[in-house]
Each structure stands twice: as C-alpha cells, then as structure tokens.
Amino acid sequence: MSKKSKKDPEQEVPVNTGEEPVQEAPRQEEQPAAEQPAAPPDPAQELQKEIDSLNDQLLRKAAEFDNFRKRTQREKQELYSAATADCVTGLLGIVDNFERALSAECSDEAFKKGMEMIFKQMTDSLEKLGVKEIEAQGKPFDPNFHSAVNQVEDENFGENTVCQVFQKGYLLGDKVIRHAMVVVANP
C-alpha cells in the first residue's frame, strides 16, 4: 500500500514494498532565492521626484490662491452692489420729493434755481453710481420693469401701453432697484 503524506501534497513519499527499508530523503528547507541587493536609488531620480512633487504642490497652492482671490473679489463686488442698492433705495424717496417740490409753484426764482441746482447735483451723483431711470411713459408694459397699479381703456394709446407714471422706477446697472408704478392702457 502506498501512503502519501498529508503534510505536503506535492512531495511524494516512497512506497514500502516490504523488501527494503525506506529511508526518507532528508528534507531541505526551502530557502528563498537569494535576493540580489537592490541597486542603490539614483540620487538624480530621487531629486527629480522631489522636485516634481514640490512643483505639483506649488501649482496647486497657486491655483488655490487664485481661486481664493477671485472668490473674494466677486464677494466684495456683490457686497458693494448690495450696499449701493440699499443706500440708493433710501435716497429715491428724497429724489421723488425734490421732483414734487420743483413742480410746485414758487414766487422766489432764486430759491427755485437753488433747488434745481441741488436736484441736478443729486441726480448726477446717482448717475455716477450707475443709477438710471426706467423709461416708462408711452412704452409697452413690461412686468420686469413696471408695476401696474391700474388699468384704463384709452384709444389715444396702443394695447398694453403705459399711459401714466405714478412713481419712477430705477435700475442700478442691470438690476431693478425700484419698479415703476404705472397705469396701463388697453390691457
């Protein structure tokens, strides 16, 4: 009968036929193949890897800083625009009152001239900030710029035309800071 060792399935055990004593071959411990010592790393390659790594880090930091700079510039501009819009919105009531005062009768021409000069100075300052009046009278009604407070039938105006302006509207750049309050003819 032949017996196989369960210890190592690839190693055969000699068959004992009973005639001669079986001697097992001495086992040789498997030794790992002698590893050749690795070649010492090339200093130039190591330095090049380090330079590439540092260049990559530098480029990433530069891009990160550029993104930060752009983001803060954009936030600063948005903050400036919002603050300007808030300030101008507060002044629009004063502009309306100046216009009403200038349309009133006044017997003192020097006083009226002085008020007109102040009003001109105020409107010039608003223009420098980028504030423009929304043209409404006689224009087609546009809900993006006009707020209709009344509708009338009037054959002197076309369909959906602004026939009267109760309160002027204003733009700051491309942003509406106050819609024009209007009456729309022939809706």
Side-chain angles (χ1 to χ4, degrees), residues 53-90:
S53 172
L54 291 174
N55 279 339
D56 183 54
Q57 288 177 7
L58 178 64
L59 288 174
R60 289 178 188 273
K61 291 294 180 187
E64 199 174 297
F65 179 72
D66 192 44
N67 290 341
F68 170 76
R69 185 182 52 78
K70 288 177 184 176
R71 184 176 58 249
T72 55
Q73 182 66 27
R74 185 175 53 248
E75 289 171 355
K76 183 179 172 184
Q77 183 61 39
E78 289 171 359
L79 186 62
Y80 175 78
S81 296
T84 303
D86 286 346
C87 182
V88 167
T89 301

PDB file of all heavy atoms in Angstrom, residues 53-90:
ATOM      1  N   SER A  53       7.299  66.689  -7.149  1.00  0.00           N
ATOM      2  CA  SER A  53       6.316  66.756  -6.070  1.00  0.00           C
ATOM      3  C   SER A  53       6.156  68.187  -5.570  1.00  0.00           C
ATOM      4  O   SER A  53       5.037  68.670  -5.384  1.00  0.00           O
ATOM      5  CB  SER A  53       6.747  65.835  -4.932  1.00  0.00           C
ATOM      6  OG  SER A  53       5.914  66.011  -3.813  1.00  0.00           O
ATOM      7  N   LEU A  54       7.267  68.878  -5.370  1.00  0.00           N
ATOM      8  CA  LEU A  54       7.199  70.259  -4.890  1.00  0.00           C
ATOM      9  C   LEU A  54       6.577  71.188  -5.934  1.00  0.00           C
ATOM     10  O   LEU A  54       5.815  72.101  -5.581  1.00  0.00           O
ATOM     11  CB  LEU A  54       8.601  70.745  -4.498  1.00  0.00           C
ATOM     12  CG  LEU A  54       9.200  70.084  -3.248  1.00  0.00           C
ATOM     13  CD1 LEU A  54      10.641  70.523  -3.048  1.00  0.00           C
ATOM     14  CD2 LEU A  54       8.372  70.408  -2.017  1.00  0.00           C
ATOM     15  N   ASN A  55       6.895  70.959  -7.210  1.00  0.00           N
ATOM     16  CA  ASN A  55       6.277  71.764  -8.275  1.00  0.00           C
ATOM     17  C   ASN A  55       4.772  71.553  -8.294  1.00  0.00           C
ATOM     18  O   ASN A  55       4.000  72.505  -8.462  1.00  0.00           O
ATOM     19  CB  ASN A  55       6.874  71.422  -9.636  1.00  0.00           C
ATOM     20  CG  ASN A  55       8.186  72.116  -9.884  1.00  0.00           C
ATOM     21  OD1 ASN A  55       8.492  73.124  -9.272  1.00  0.00           O
ATOM     22  ND2 ASN A  55       8.978  71.564 -10.795  1.00  0.00           N
ATOM     23  N   ASP A  56       4.344  70.300  -8.118  1.00  0.00           N
ATOM     24  CA  ASP A  56       2.916  69.996  -8.102  1.00  0.00           C
ATOM     25  C   ASP A  56       2.243  70.716  -6.928  1.00  0.00           C
ATOM     26  O   ASP A  56       1.184  71.330  -7.096  1.00  0.00           O
ATOM     27  CB  ASP A  56       2.715  68.482  -7.993  1.00  0.00           C
ATOM     28  CG  ASP A  56       1.258  68.097  -8.048  1.00  0.00           C
ATOM     29  OD1 ASP A  56       0.576  68.509  -9.017  1.00  0.00           O
ATOM     30  OD2 ASP A  56       0.793  67.388  -7.130  1.00  0.00           O
ATOM     31  N   GLN A  57       2.869  70.666  -5.759  1.00  0.00           N
ATOM     32  CA  GLN A  57       2.322  71.361  -4.592  1.00  0.00           C
ATOM     33  C   GLN A  57       2.251  72.868  -4.828  1.00  0.00           C
ATOM     34  O   GLN A  57       1.261  73.517  -4.483  1.00  0.00           O
ATOM     35  CB  GLN A  57       3.180  71.077  -3.356  1.00  0.00           C
ATOM     36  CG  GLN A  57       3.049  69.680  -2.807  1.00  0.00           C
ATOM     37  CD  GLN A  57       3.988  69.441  -1.630  1.00  0.00           C
ATOM     38  OE1 GLN A  57       4.638  70.360  -1.149  1.00  0.00           O
ATOM     39  NE2 GLN A  57       4.061  68.200  -1.177  1.00  0.00           N
ATOM     40  N   LEU A  58       3.293  73.401  -5.440  1.00  0.00           N
ATOM     41  CA  LEU A  58       3.325  74.837  -5.717  1.00  0.00           C
ATOM     42  C   LEU A  58       2.209  75.237  -6.680  1.00  0.00           C
ATOM     43  O   LEU A  58       1.511  76.229  -6.469  1.00  0.00           O
ATOM     44  CB  LEU A  58       4.686  75.234  -6.296  1.00  0.00           C
ATOM     45  CG  LEU A  58       4.852  76.703  -6.683  1.00  0.00           C
ATOM     46  CD1 LEU A  58       4.762  77.589  -5.449  1.00  0.00           C
ATOM     47  CD2 LEU A  58       6.181  76.914  -7.387  1.00  0.00           C
ATOM     48  N   LEU A  59       2.025  74.452  -7.730  1.00  0.00           N
ATOM     49  CA  LEU A  59       0.968  74.755  -8.701  1.00  0.00           C
ATOM     50  C   LEU A  59      -0.405  74.674  -8.052  1.00  0.00           C
ATOM     51  O   LEU A  59      -1.280  75.506  -8.316  1.00  0.00           O
ATOM     52  CB  LEU A  59       1.055  73.801  -9.890  1.00  0.00           C
ATOM     53  CG  LEU A  59       2.230  74.020 -10.836  1.00  0.00           C
ATOM     54  CD1 LEU A  59       2.277  72.917 -11.888  1.00  0.00           C
ATOM     55  CD2 LEU A  59       2.147  75.381 -11.498  1.00  0.00           C
ATOM     56  N   ARG A  60      -0.592  73.681  -7.199  1.00  0.00           N
ATOM     57  CA  ARG A  60      -1.882  73.545  -6.510  1.00  0.00           C
ATOM     58  C   ARG A  60      -2.133  74.735  -5.583  1.00  0.00           C
ATOM     59  O   ARG A  60      -3.243  75.274  -5.541  1.00  0.00           O
ATOM     60  CB  ARG A  60      -1.943  72.244  -5.727  1.00  0.00           C
ATOM     61  CG  ARG A  60      -2.048  71.021  -6.603  1.00  0.00           C
ATOM     62  CD  ARG A  60      -2.062  69.740  -5.768  1.00  0.00           C
ATOM     63  NE  ARG A  60      -1.970  68.577  -6.601  1.00  0.00           N
ATOM     64  CZ  ARG A  60      -2.991  67.945  -7.160  1.00  0.00           C
ATOM     65  NH1 ARG A  60      -4.210  68.411  -6.958  1.00  0.00           N
ATOM     66  NH2 ARG A  60      -2.822  66.884  -7.909  1.00  0.00           N
ATOM     67  N   LYS A  61      -1.120  75.142  -4.846  1.00  0.00           N
ATOM     68  CA  LYS A  61      -1.275  76.292  -3.941  1.00  0.00           C
ATOM     69  C   LYS A  61      -1.533  77.573  -4.730  1.00  0.00           C
ATOM     70  O   LYS A  61      -2.346  78.408  -4.328  1.00  0.00           O
ATOM     71  CB  LYS A  61      -0.036  76.467  -3.057  1.00  0.00           C
ATOM     72  CG  LYS A  61       0.148  75.379  -2.031  1.00  0.00           C
ATOM     73  CD  LYS A  61      -0.944  75.401  -0.998  1.00  0.00           C
ATOM     74  CE  LYS A  61      -0.724  74.295   0.024  1.00  0.00           C
ATOM     75  NZ  LYS A  61      -1.838  74.166   0.941  1.00  0.00           N
ATOM     76  N   ALA A  62      -0.839  77.733  -5.866  1.00  0.00           N
ATOM     77  CA  ALA A  62      -1.045  78.925  -6.694  1.00  0.00           C
ATOM     78  C   ALA A  62      -2.473  78.953  -7.238  1.00  0.00           C
ATOM     79  O   ALA A  62      -3.134  79.999  -7.239  1.00  0.00           O
ATOM     80  CB  ALA A  62      -0.029  78.964  -7.830  1.00  0.00           C
ATOM     81  N   ALA A  63      -2.966  77.794  -7.691  1.00  0.00           N
ATOM     82  CA  ALA A  63      -4.338  77.727  -8.207  1.00  0.00           C
ATOM     83  C   ALA A  63      -5.345  77.983  -7.089  1.00  0.00           C
ATOM     84  O   ALA A  63      -6.342  78.690  -7.282  1.00  0.00           O
ATOM     85  CB  ALA A  63      -4.591  76.365  -8.843  1.00  0.00           C
ATOM     86  N   GLU A  64      -5.080  77.432  -5.925  1.00  0.00           N
ATOM     87  CA  GLU A  64      -5.949  77.635  -4.776  1.00  0.00           C
ATOM     88  C   GLU A  64      -6.000  79.113  -4.400  1.00  0.00           C
ATOM     89  O   GLU A  64      -7.066  79.673  -4.129  1.00  0.00           O
ATOM     90  CB  GLU A  64      -5.401  76.804  -3.609  1.00  0.00           C
ATOM     91  CG  GLU A  64      -6.376  76.521  -2.511  1.00  0.00           C
ATOM     92  CD  GLU A  64      -5.771  75.567  -1.492  1.00  0.00           C
ATOM     93  OE1 GLU A  64      -5.467  74.423  -1.840  1.00  0.00           O
ATOM     94  OE2 GLU A  64      -5.604  76.012  -0.337  1.00  0.00           O
ATOM     95  N   PHE A  65      -4.847  79.759  -4.390  1.00  0.00           N
ATOM     96  CA  PHE A  65      -4.791  81.182  -4.056  1.00  0.00           C
ATOM     97  C   PHE A  65      -5.515  82.020  -5.112  1.00  0.00           C
ATOM     98  O   PHE A  65      -6.233  82.967  -4.778  1.00  0.00           O
ATOM     99  CB  PHE A  65      -3.344  81.659  -3.918  1.00  0.00           C
ATOM    100  CG  PHE A  65      -3.235  83.116  -3.605  1.00  0.00           C
ATOM    101  CD1 PHE A  65      -3.571  83.594  -2.344  1.00  0.00           C
ATOM    102  CD2 PHE A  65      -2.836  84.029  -4.573  1.00  0.00           C
ATOM    103  CE1 PHE A  65      -3.492  84.948  -2.052  1.00  0.00           C
ATOM    104  CE2 PHE A  65      -2.760  85.377  -4.286  1.00  0.00           C
ATOM    105  CZ  PHE A  65      -3.092  85.840  -3.020  1.00  0.00           C
ATOM    106  N   ASP A  66      -5.347  81.663  -6.387  1.00  0.00           N
ATOM    107  CA  ASP A  66      -6.013  82.398  -7.460  1.00  0.00           C
ATOM    108  C   ASP A  66      -7.529  82.264  -7.329  1.00  0.00           C
ATOM    109  O   ASP A  66      -8.255  83.251  -7.491  1.00  0.00           O
ATOM    110  CB  ASP A  66      -5.541  81.876  -8.822  1.00  0.00           C
ATOM    111  CG  ASP A  66      -5.972  82.766  -9.959  1.00  0.00           C
ATOM    112  OD1 ASP A  66      -5.855  84.004  -9.832  1.00  0.00           O
ATOM    113  OD2 ASP A  66      -6.441  82.225 -10.992  1.00  0.00           O
ATOM    114  N   ASN A  67      -8.011  81.069  -7.013  1.00  0.00           N
ATOM    115  CA  ASN A  67      -9.446  80.867  -6.798  1.00  0.00           C
ATOM    116  C   ASN A  67      -9.934  81.676  -5.610  1.00  0.00           C
ATOM    117  O   ASN A  67     -11.014  82.282  -5.653  1.00  0.00           O
ATOM    118  CB  ASN A  67      -9.759  79.385  -6.585  1.00  0.00           C
ATOM    119  CG  ASN A  67      -9.592  78.578  -7.844  1.00  0.00           C
ATOM    120  OD1 ASN A  67      -9.587  79.108  -8.943  1.00  0.00           O
ATOM    121  ND2 ASN A  67      -9.427  77.280  -7.690  1.00  0.00           N
ATOM    122  N   PHE A  68      -9.144  81.700  -4.538  1.00  0.00           N
ATOM    123  CA  PHE A  68      -9.495  82.480  -3.355  1.00  0.00           C
ATOM    124  C   PHE A  68      -9.578  83.968  -3.702  1.00  0.00           C
ATOM    125  O   PHE A  68     -10.513  84.661  -3.304  1.00  0.00           O
ATOM    126  CB  PHE A  68      -8.458  82.244  -2.249  1.00  0.00           C
ATOM    127  CG  PHE A  68      -8.599  83.169  -1.080  1.00  0.00           C
ATOM    128  CD1 PHE A  68      -9.605  82.977  -0.143  1.00  0.00           C
ATOM    129  CD2 PHE A  68      -7.734  84.243  -0.921  1.00  0.00           C
ATOM    130  CE1 PHE A  68      -9.727  83.841   0.935  1.00  0.00           C
ATOM    131  CE2 PHE A  68      -7.855  85.101   0.152  1.00  0.00           C
ATOM    132  CZ  PHE A  68      -8.859  84.896   1.080  1.00  0.00           C
ATOM    133  N   ARG A  69      -8.601  84.451  -4.449  1.00  0.00           N
ATOM    134  CA  ARG A  69      -8.568  85.865  -4.833  1.00  0.00           C
ATOM    135  C   ARG A  69      -9.792  86.222  -5.675  1.00  0.00           C
ATOM    136  O   ARG A  69     -10.452  87.243  -5.437  1.00  0.00           O
ATOM    137  CB  ARG A  69      -7.286  86.156  -5.623  1.00  0.00           C
ATOM    138  CG  ARG A  69      -7.081  87.616  -5.981  1.00  0.00           C
ATOM    139  CD  ARG A  69      -5.818  87.834  -6.797  1.00  0.00           C
ATOM    140  NE  ARG A  69      -5.725  86.980  -7.961  1.00  0.00           N
ATOM    141  CZ  ARG A  69      -6.387  87.172  -9.105  1.00  0.00           C
ATOM    142  NH1 ARG A  69      -7.189  88.198  -9.227  1.00  0.00           N
ATOM    143  NH2 ARG A  69      -6.223  86.349 -10.126  1.00  0.00           N
ATOM    144  N   LYS A  70     -10.122  85.376  -6.645  1.00  0.00           N
ATOM    145  CA  LYS A  70     -11.294  85.636  -7.494  1.00  0.00           C
ATOM    146  C   LYS A  70     -12.581  85.595  -6.684  1.00  0.00           C
ATOM    147  O   LYS A  70     -13.478  86.423  -6.892  1.00  0.00           O
ATOM    148  CB  LYS A  70     -11.356  84.617  -8.627  1.00  0.00           C
ATOM    149  CG  LYS A  70     -10.291  84.822  -9.683  1.00  0.00           C
ATOM    150  CD  LYS A  70     -10.358  83.730 -10.734  1.00  0.00           C
ATOM    151  CE  LYS A  70      -9.234  83.864 -11.759  1.00  0.00           C
ATOM    152  NZ  LYS A  70      -9.249  82.757 -12.726  1.00  0.00           N
ATOM    153  N   ARG A  71     -12.684  84.619  -5.781  1.00  0.00           N
ATOM    154  CA  ARG A  71     -13.896  84.487  -4.972  1.00  0.00           C
ATOM    155  C   ARG A  71     -14.075  85.711  -4.067  1.00  0.00           C
ATOM    156  O   ARG A  71     -15.176  86.261  -3.977  1.00  0.00           O
ATOM    157  CB  ARG A  71     -13.837  83.201  -4.140  1.00  0.00           C
ATOM    158  CG  ARG A  71     -15.089  82.936  -3.337  1.00  0.00           C
ATOM    159  CD  ARG A  71     -15.056  81.608  -2.585  1.00  0.00           C
ATOM    160  NE  ARG A  71     -13.938  81.507  -1.672  1.00  0.00           N
ATOM    161  CZ  ARG A  71     -12.904  80.693  -1.812  1.00  0.00           C
ATOM    162  NH1 ARG A  71     -12.840  79.884  -2.846  1.00  0.00           N
ATOM    163  NH2 ARG A  71     -11.920  80.673  -0.932  1.00  0.00           N
ATOM    164  N   THR A  72     -12.999  86.154  -3.421  1.00  0.00           N
ATOM    165  CA  THR A  72     -13.121  87.320  -2.545  1.00  0.00           C
ATOM    166  C   THR A  72     -13.409  88.588  -3.344  1.00  0.00           C
ATOM    167  O   THR A  72     -14.163  89.448  -2.880  1.00  0.00           O
ATOM    168  CB  THR A  72     -11.858  87.525  -1.679  1.00  0.00           C
ATOM    169  OG1 THR A  72     -10.714  87.599  -2.515  1.00  0.00           O
ATOM    170  CG2 THR A  72     -11.694  86.398  -0.673  1.00  0.00           C
ATOM    171  N   GLN A  73     -12.840  88.694  -4.543  1.00  0.00           N
ATOM    172  CA  GLN A  73     -13.127  89.858  -5.394  1.00  0.00           C
ATOM    173  C   GLN A  73     -14.603  89.877  -5.787  1.00  0.00           C
ATOM    174  O   GLN A  73     -15.256  90.921  -5.751  1.00  0.00           O
ATOM    175  CB  GLN A  73     -12.238  89.822  -6.646  1.00  0.00           C
ATOM    176  CG  GLN A  73     -12.422  91.014  -7.563  1.00  0.00           C
ATOM    177  CD  GLN A  73     -11.959  92.318  -6.941  1.00  0.00           C
ATOM    178  OE1 GLN A  73     -11.093  92.330  -6.087  1.00  0.00           O
ATOM    179  NE2 GLN A  73     -12.552  93.401  -7.350  1.00  0.00           N
ATOM    180  N   ARG A  74     -15.136  88.696  -6.150  1.00  0.00           N
ATOM    181  CA  ARG A  74     -16.544  88.594  -6.533  1.00  0.00           C
ATOM    182  C   ARG A  74     -17.445  88.918  -5.330  1.00  0.00           C
ATOM    183  O   ARG A  74     -18.423  89.661  -5.460  1.00  0.00           O
ATOM    184  CB  ARG A  74     -16.826  87.189  -7.070  1.00  0.00           C
ATOM    185  CG  ARG A  74     -18.214  86.987  -7.609  1.00  0.00           C
ATOM    186  CD  ARG A  74     -18.419  85.606  -8.247  1.00  0.00           C
ATOM    187  NE  ARG A  74     -18.030  84.525  -7.364  1.00  0.00           N
ATOM    188  CZ  ARG A  74     -16.998  83.713  -7.560  1.00  0.00           C
ATOM    189  NH1 ARG A  74     -16.235  83.848  -8.622  1.00  0.00           N
ATOM    190  NH2 ARG A  74     -16.713  82.739  -6.717  1.00  0.00           N
ATOM    191  N   GLU A  75     -17.099  88.378  -4.149  1.00  0.00           N
ATOM    192  CA  GLU A  75     -17.888  88.658  -2.946  1.00  0.00           C
ATOM    193  C   GLU A  75     -17.840  90.134  -2.592  1.00  0.00           C
ATOM    194  O   GLU A  75     -18.845  90.717  -2.185  1.00  0.00           O
ATOM    195  CB  GLU A  75     -17.374  87.816  -1.775  1.00  0.00           C
ATOM    196  CG  GLU A  75     -17.700  86.347  -1.901  1.00  0.00           C
ATOM    197  CD  GLU A  75     -17.004  85.486  -0.857  1.00  0.00           C
ATOM    198  OE1 GLU A  75     -16.176  86.033  -0.086  1.00  0.00           O
ATOM    199  OE2 GLU A  75     -17.270  84.279  -0.824  1.00  0.00           O
ATOM    200  N   LYS A  76     -16.676  90.740  -2.758  1.00  0.00           N
ATOM    201  CA  LYS A  76     -16.514  92.166  -2.478  1.00  0.00           C
ATOM    202  C   LYS A  76     -17.394  92.989  -3.420  1.00  0.00           C
ATOM    203  O   LYS A  76     -18.062  93.939  -2.986  1.00  0.00           O
ATOM    204  CB  LYS A  76     -15.046  92.544  -2.639  1.00  0.00           C
ATOM    205  CG  LYS A  76     -14.708  93.953  -2.321  1.00  0.00           C
ATOM    206  CD  LYS A  76     -13.204  94.164  -2.501  1.00  0.00           C
ATOM    207  CE  LYS A  76     -12.809  95.598  -2.395  1.00  0.00           C
ATOM    208  NZ  LYS A  76     -11.377  95.796  -2.668  1.00  0.00           N
ATOM    209  N   GLN A  77     -17.409  92.638  -4.696  1.00  0.00           N
ATOM    210  CA  GLN A  77     -18.228  93.350  -5.682  1.00  0.00           C
ATOM    211  C   GLN A  77     -19.713  93.184  -5.369  1.00  0.00           C
ATOM    212  O   GLN A  77     -20.487  94.145  -5.453  1.00  0.00           O
ATOM    213  CB  GLN A  77     -17.916  92.852  -7.099  1.00  0.00           C
ATOM    214  CG  GLN A  77     -18.673  93.590  -8.185  1.00  0.00           C
ATOM    215  CD  GLN A  77     -18.359  95.069  -8.218  1.00  0.00           C
ATOM    216  OE1 GLN A  77     -17.222  95.477  -8.030  1.00  0.00           O
ATOM    217  NE2 GLN A  77     -19.364  95.883  -8.452  1.00  0.00           N
ATOM    218  N   GLU A  78     -20.129  91.961  -5.004  1.00  0.00           N
ATOM    219  CA  GLU A  78     -21.533  91.721  -4.662  1.00  0.00           C
ATOM    220  C   GLU A  78     -21.934  92.513  -3.419  1.00  0.00           C
ATOM    221  O   GLU A  78     -23.026  93.070  -3.366  1.00  0.00           O
ATOM    222  CB  GLU A  78     -21.774  90.228  -4.443  1.00  0.00           C
ATOM    223  CG  GLU A  78     -21.722  89.411  -5.718  1.00  0.00           C
ATOM    224  CD  GLU A  78     -21.739  87.910  -5.459  1.00  0.00           C
ATOM    225  OE1 GLU A  78     -21.775  87.488  -4.276  1.00  0.00           O
ATOM    226  OE2 GLU A  78     -21.699  87.158  -6.446  1.00  0.00           O
ATOM    227  N   LEU A  79     -21.039  92.573  -2.446  1.00  0.00           N
ATOM    228  CA  LEU A  79     -21.309  93.321  -1.231  1.00  0.00           C
ATOM    229  C   LEU A  79     -21.420  94.817  -1.529  1.00  0.00           C
ATOM    230  O   LEU A  79     -22.319  95.499  -1.025  1.00  0.00           O
ATOM    231  CB  LEU A  79     -20.209  93.062  -0.194  1.00  0.00           C
ATOM    232  CG  LEU A  79     -20.403  93.648   1.176  1.00  0.00           C
ATOM    233  CD1 LEU A  79     -21.650  93.063   1.836  1.00  0.00           C
ATOM    234  CD2 LEU A  79     -19.188  93.366   2.046  1.00  0.00           C
ATOM    235  N   TYR A  80     -20.519  95.314  -2.388  1.00  0.00           N
ATOM    236  CA  TYR A  80     -20.562  96.726  -2.775  1.00  0.00           C
ATOM    237  C   TYR A  80     -21.872  97.035  -3.502  1.00  0.00           C
ATOM    238  O   TYR A  80     -22.521  98.047  -3.216  1.00  0.00           O
ATOM    239  CB  TYR A  80     -19.366  97.066  -3.670  1.00  0.00           C
ATOM    240  CG  TYR A  80     -19.409  98.476  -4.216  1.00  0.00           C
ATOM    241  CD1 TYR A  80     -19.063  99.555  -3.418  1.00  0.00           C
ATOM    242  CD2 TYR A  80     -19.817  98.718  -5.531  1.00  0.00           C
ATOM    243  CE1 TYR A  80     -19.118 100.851  -3.918  1.00  0.00           C
ATOM    244  CE2 TYR A  80     -19.870 100.003  -6.026  1.00  0.00           C
ATOM    245  CZ  TYR A  80     -19.522 101.066  -5.220  1.00  0.00           C
ATOM    246  OH  TYR A  80     -19.589 102.333  -5.719  1.00  0.00           O
ATOM    247  N   SER A  81     -22.266  96.154  -4.427  1.00  0.00           N
ATOM    248  CA  SER A  81     -23.511  96.376  -5.176  1.00  0.00           C
ATOM    249  C   SER A  81     -24.719  96.360  -4.250  1.00  0.00           C
ATOM    250  O   SER A  81     -25.621  97.198  -4.385  1.00  0.00           O
ATOM    251  CB  SER A  81     -23.675  95.307  -6.251  1.00  0.00           C
ATOM    252  OG  SER A  81     -22.651  95.409  -7.196  1.00  0.00           O
ATOM    253  N   ALA A  82     -24.741  95.433  -3.303  1.00  0.00           N
ATOM    254  CA  ALA A  82     -25.870  95.355  -2.374  1.00  0.00           C
ATOM    255  C   ALA A  82     -25.919  96.594  -1.478  1.00  0.00           C
ATOM    256  O   ALA A  82     -26.998  97.153  -1.236  1.00  0.00           O
ATOM    257  CB  ALA A  82     -25.766  94.090  -1.526  1.00  0.00           C
ATOM    258  N   ALA A  83     -24.765  97.051  -0.991  1.00  0.00           N
ATOM    259  CA  ALA A  83     -24.726  98.237  -0.138  1.00  0.00           C
ATOM    260  C   ALA A  83     -25.137  99.480  -0.925  1.00  0.00           C
ATOM    261  O   ALA A  83     -25.884 100.329  -0.413  1.00  0.00           O
ATOM    262  CB  ALA A  83     -23.328  98.417   0.445  1.00  0.00           C
ATOM    263  N   THR A  84     -24.672  99.577  -2.162  1.00  0.00           N
ATOM    264  CA  THR A  84     -25.052 100.715  -3.012  1.00  0.00           C
ATOM    265  C   THR A  84     -26.549 100.716  -3.267  1.00  0.00           C
ATOM    266  O   THR A  84     -27.201 101.763  -3.180  1.00  0.00           O
ATOM    267  CB  THR A  84     -24.279 100.673  -4.345  1.00  0.00           C
ATOM    268  OG1 THR A  84     -22.873 100.673  -4.069  1.00  0.00           O
ATOM    269  CG2 THR A  84     -24.615 101.865  -5.221  1.00  0.00           C
ATOM    270  N   ALA A  85     -27.098  99.540  -3.567  1.00  0.00           N
ATOM    271  CA  ALA A  85     -28.543  99.445  -3.824  1.00  0.00           C
ATOM    272  C   ALA A  85     -29.341  99.855  -2.594  1.00  0.00           C
ATOM    273  O   ALA A  85     -30.335 100.591  -2.708  1.00  0.00           O
ATOM    274  CB  ALA A  85     -28.906  98.024  -4.249  1.00  0.00           C
ATOM    275  N   ASP A  86     -28.919  99.421  -1.414  1.00  0.00           N
ATOM    276  CA  ASP A  86     -29.620  99.800  -0.185  1.00  0.00           C
ATOM    277  C   ASP A  86     -29.554 101.309   0.044  1.00  0.00           C
ATOM    278  O   ASP A  86     -30.557 101.944   0.393  1.00  0.00           O
ATOM    279  CB  ASP A  86     -29.014  99.083   1.026  1.00  0.00           C
ATOM    280  CG  ASP A  86     -29.384  97.611   1.088  1.00  0.00           C
ATOM    281  OD1 ASP A  86     -30.311  97.188   0.360  1.00  0.00           O
ATOM    282  OD2 ASP A  86     -28.739  96.881   1.859  1.00  0.00           O
ATOM    283  N   CYS A  87     -28.388 101.881  -0.164  1.00  0.00           N
ATOM    284  CA  CYS A  87     -28.203 103.324   0.039  1.00  0.00           C
ATOM    285  C   CYS A  87     -29.042 104.119  -0.962  1.00  0.00           C
ATOM    286  O   CYS A  87     -29.737 105.070  -0.591  1.00  0.00           O
ATOM    287  CB  CYS A  87     -26.728 103.672  -0.094  1.00  0.00           C
ATOM    288  SG  CYS A  87     -26.366 105.410   0.196  1.00  0.00           S
ATOM    289  N   VAL A  88     -28.976 103.723  -2.220  1.00  0.00           N
ATOM    290  CA  VAL A  88     -29.711 104.439  -3.272  1.00  0.00           C
ATOM    291  C   VAL A  88     -31.209 104.308  -3.060  1.00  0.00           C
ATOM    292  O   VAL A  88     -31.957 105.275  -3.249  1.00  0.00           O
ATOM    293  CB  VAL A  88     -29.292 103.921  -4.667  1.00  0.00           C
ATOM    294  CG1 VAL A  88     -30.234 104.405  -5.741  1.00  0.00           C
ATOM    295  CG2 VAL A  88     -27.866 104.349  -4.971  1.00  0.00           C
ATOM    296  N   THR A  89     -31.665 103.135  -2.638  1.00  0.00           N
ATOM    297  CA  THR A  89     -33.101 102.945  -2.395  1.00  0.00           C
ATOM    298  C   THR A  89     -33.598 103.933  -1.353  1.00  0.00           C
ATOM    299  O   THR A  89     -34.700 104.472  -1.481  1.00  0.00           O
ATOM    300  CB  THR A  89     -33.370 101.488  -1.951  1.00  0.00           C
ATOM    301  OG1 THR A  89     -32.909 100.606  -2.966  1.00  0.00           O
ATOM    302  CG2 THR A  89     -34.841 101.240  -1.722  1.00  0.00           C
ATOM    303  N   GLY A  90     -32.792 104.190  -0.339  1.00  0.00           N
ATOM    304  CA  GLY A  90     -33.167 105.183   0.677  1.00  0.00           C
ATOM    305  C   GLY A  90     -33.222 106.599   0.130  1.00  0.00           C
ATOM    306  O   GLY A  90     -34.020 107.422   0.585  1.00  0.00           O
TER     307      GLY A  90
END
